[in-house]
């Protein structure tokens, strides 16, 4: 069933009334449309919501999250963390990771103060990083990493993105079923949402993952600038979204803010997300969609395909494209929230 919901700027999806229409005195912007899909059945309803205070959220931390969930990005077998006893920001200092199956040790970790190095080539002395598409390499540059939270991300508002704080609140609502568990902030950039997830205290462990070492460096610098930041609940990991270095079925949730359109192959990446999620785990992501009046542009689909070939970045033309990617990768219960071109969508790994 598909449904649309008009939200004020301070409402969460779970706070909406089930009545067909509830009036309130003042309307706010932005306006969000939330849609959920089911096979062959479509209906719509519209509701207006009233502001109601919410009580504190009680979170029971999952003790499973303290166990080692890291895996070799080549064979996906568990790796041994040498030089540290728990996973945290401090794990990168003087530590190394060893895969006993392939007898590979990631020596790079020993001289990285900021993050754990778990790319496919990280344990090899004879090979460097694999060449990545233009869009990926662009975000690896020191200039782009420095600029991301100092002007770049703020411009997303022109595409309908409601801003980090509102996006964080919307995302938390989708993540309610897994509060207290561990989460992977995929393609975290400079850690804007990783830091918000960690400071919220709603999750036992937050893993900030990106392919850009400069983005992770920026995240580490932001953390150092904050007083009383809970570093023991966060780890920074450099890895490829297409080869996630985690044990299959070990993660409770994978949020990915403004990232899926930057992935060279969204289907490969979402398949990896599905692999590492436990049954009942949640994938929630944001991106933009060029539908509506953009669909009137002649040859838009071949233009978008050519753009992807050249840049490695993707343009989505409908909500259905995102749903199809999730379904093809074994995820179900697709839902999404719209605000202009902005879309936040979620899907779940079947139990």
């Amino acid at each position: 069933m598909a449904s649309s919901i008009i939200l004020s700027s301070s409402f969460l999806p779970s706070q909406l009334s089930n009545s067909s229409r509830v009036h309130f005195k003042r309307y706010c912007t932005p306006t969000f449309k939330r849609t959920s899909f089911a096979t062959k059945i479509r209906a719509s309803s519209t509701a207006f919501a009233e502001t109601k205070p919410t009580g504190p959220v009680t979170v029971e931390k999952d003790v499973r999250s303290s166990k080692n969930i890291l895996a070799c990005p080549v064979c996906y077998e568990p790796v041994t963390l040498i030089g540290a006893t728990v996973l945290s920001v401090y794990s990168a200092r003087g530590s190394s990771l060893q895969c006993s199956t392939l007898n590979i040790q990631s020596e790079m970790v020993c001289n990285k103060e900021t993050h754990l190095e778990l790319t496919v080539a990280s344990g090899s002395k004879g090979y460097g990083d694999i060449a990545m598409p233009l869009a990926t390499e662009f975000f690896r540059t020191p200039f782009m990493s420095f600029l991301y939270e100092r002007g770049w991300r703020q411009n997303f508002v022109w595409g309908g993105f409601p801003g980090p704080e509102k996006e964080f609140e919307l995302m938390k609502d989708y993540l309610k079923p897994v509060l207290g568990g561990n989460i992977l902030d995929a393609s975290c950039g400079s850690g804007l949402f990783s830091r918000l997830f960690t400071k919220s205290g709603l999750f036992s462990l937050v893993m900030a993952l990106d392919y850009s070492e400069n983005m992770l460096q920026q995240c580490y610098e932001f953390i150092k600038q904050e007083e009383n930041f809970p570093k023991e609940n966060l780890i920074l990991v450099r890895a490829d979204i297409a080869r996630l270095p985690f044990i299959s079925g070990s993660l409770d949730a994978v949020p990915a803010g403004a990232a899926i359109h930057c992935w060279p192959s969204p289907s490969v990446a979402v398949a990896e997300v599905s692999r590492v999620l436990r049954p009942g785990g949640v994938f929630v992501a944001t991106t933009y969609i060029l539908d509506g009046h953009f669909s009137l542009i002649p040859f838009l689909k071949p233009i978008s395909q050519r753009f992807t070939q050249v840049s490695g970045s993707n343009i989505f033309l409908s909500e259905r494209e995102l749903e199809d990617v999730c379904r093809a990768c074994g995820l179900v219960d697709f839902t999404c929230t719209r605000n202009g071109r902005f879309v936040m969508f979620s899907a779940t790994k079947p139990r």
Side-chain angles (χ1 to χ4, degrees), residues 134-148 152 210-218:
L134 180 63
T136 303
E137 293 299 330
F138 174 66
F139 286 101
R140 291 184 69 189
T141 62
F143 172 75
M144 189 61 235
S145 301
F146 178 84
L147 184 64
Y148 190 77
W152 181 273
D210 205 275
Y211 192 75
S212 170
E213 53 274 80
N214 285 306
M215 285 289 191
L216 294 172
Q217 177 67 42
Q218 283 294 317

Side-chain angles (χ1 to χ4, degrees), residues 90-133:
Y90 304 109
S91 300
R93 298 177 182 177
S95 302
S96 62
L97 298 165
Q98 184 170 21
C99 174
S100 57
T101 304
L102 298 180
N103 196 27
I104 294 175
Q105 184 164 343
S106 178
E107 299 291 349
M108 292 186 187
V109 179
C110 298
N111 55 34
K112 295 289 185 183
E113 181 184 5
T114 57
H115 62 271
L116 300 176
E117 186 79 22
L118 277 166
T119 59
V120 172
S122 62
S124 172
K125 298 179 180 179
Y127 299 92
D129 287 335
I130 301 171
M132 300 296 280

Side-chain angles (χ1 to χ4, degrees), residues 15 20 34 36 53 60 66 68 97 143 176 206 210 225 244 267 269 277 289 291 302 310 346:
Q15 293 174 295
S20 60
R34 181 166 178 173
S36 50
E60 182 177 349
S66 62
N68 185 15
L97 298 165
F143 172 75
K176 279 185 178 179
V206 178
D210 205 275
Q225 294 170 12
L244 293 177
S267 58
L277 282 175
I289 296 177
D291 56 3
V310 173
S346 176

Side-chain angles (χ1 to χ4, degrees), residues 65-85:
S65 301
S66 62
K67 298 181 180 179
N68 185 15
I69 56 178
L70 298 175
C72 171
V74 178
C75 67
Y76 293 138
E77 292 298 318
V79 295
T80 302
L81 181 62
I82 302 173
T85 57

Side-chain angles (χ1 to χ4, degrees), residues 295-306:
S295 61
L296 301 177
I297 300 176
F299 310 109
L300 180 58
K301 187 170 184 177
I303 291 173
S304 67
Q305 292 173 341
R306 180 58 179 167

Side-chain angles (χ1 to χ4, degrees), residues 246-314:
F246 300 99
I247 298 171
S248 298
S250 62
L251 305 184
D252 294 293
V254 179
I260 190 172
H261 51 268
C262 296
W263 295 344
S265 174
S267 58
V268 171
V270 176
E272 272 293 272
V273 169
S274 180
R275 178 185 67 82
V276 300
L277 282 175
R278 65 165 175 78
V282 177
F283 172 51
V284 56
T286 61
T287 185
Y288 64 94
I289 296 177
L290 295 186
D291 56 3
H293 61 273
F294 286 97
S295 61
L296 301 177
I297 300 176
F299 310 109
L300 180 58
K301 187 170 184 177
I303 291 173
S304 67
Q305 292 173 341
R306 180 58 179 167
F307 176 78
T308 299
Q309 292 172 354
V310 173
S311 67
S313 189
N314 298 270

